[in-house]
Amino acid sequence: MTDADIRARLNTLKAELEAMDHSSEESRGTVELDQSRVGRLSRMDALQGQAMNQAIAARRRQALQKVEAALQRLDEGEYGYCVRCGEEISPKRLDLDPAAALCTDCTSGKG
């Protein structure tokens, strides 16, 4: 896979993550607590849904940071090498997760 292919794949992944984050902004917003309009259980459900959506958004932001870091490694000529040990990351691993920063050994704690 060429650098251009990798960059295109990472940019597509980045755009998808940003679009999902933008489309879920409303679900992470403030929950209305007006008892005359919303019952207690409905508010509890809304608060729980809000908390779950905020956690999902946090994981999405982490994934976005991983993608941006991978793009930076690509710019620096370091893409495909483990950031911990410097060994080459398996092409199969990069195919599954193009933003992977660690080799299999370092991910599992062996490296």
Side-chain angles (χ1 to χ4, degrees):
M1 191 177 286
T2 67
D3 283 0
D5 293 335
I6 295 166
R7 184 175 307 282
R9 188 165 174 209
L10 288 168
N11 280 325
T12 299
L13 184 56
K14 180 180 176 181
E16 289 171 358
L17 289 167
E18 288 171 339
M20 284 189 290
D21 194 51
H22 181 70
S23 69
S24 68
E25 282 178 3
E26 187 176 313
S27 63
R28 297 187 312 263
T30 305
V31 174
E32 191 171 321
L33 297 177
D34 183 2
Q35 287 187 352
S36 65
R37 295 177 63 195
V38 180
R40 183 173 56 91
L41 292 178
S42 295
R43 281 193 320 277
M44 289 172 47
D45 285 343
L47 289 169
Q48 183 180 20
Q50 177 193 39
M52 287 189 312
N53 286 323
Q54 288 172 341
I56 290 168
R59 283 193 301 276
R60 194 177 299 122
R61 283 189 298 274
Q62 286 178 327
L64 187 56
Q65 288 174 344
K66 268 183 67 175
V67 170
E68 289 170 346
L71 285 166
Q72 184 175 354
R73 287 192 306 277
L74 190 60
D75 290 340
E76 296 169 352
E78 297 293 320
Y79 182 82
Y81 296 95
C82 180
V83 297
R84 187 173 294 156
C85 71
E87 293 295 318
E88 188 172 352
I89 299 173
S90 162
K92 287 182 182 181
R93 179 168 173 74
L94 290 172
D95 191 42
L96 290 173
D97 180 9
L102 299 173
C103 67
T104 307
D105 286 344
C106 287
T107 300
S108 64
K110 296 177 186 175

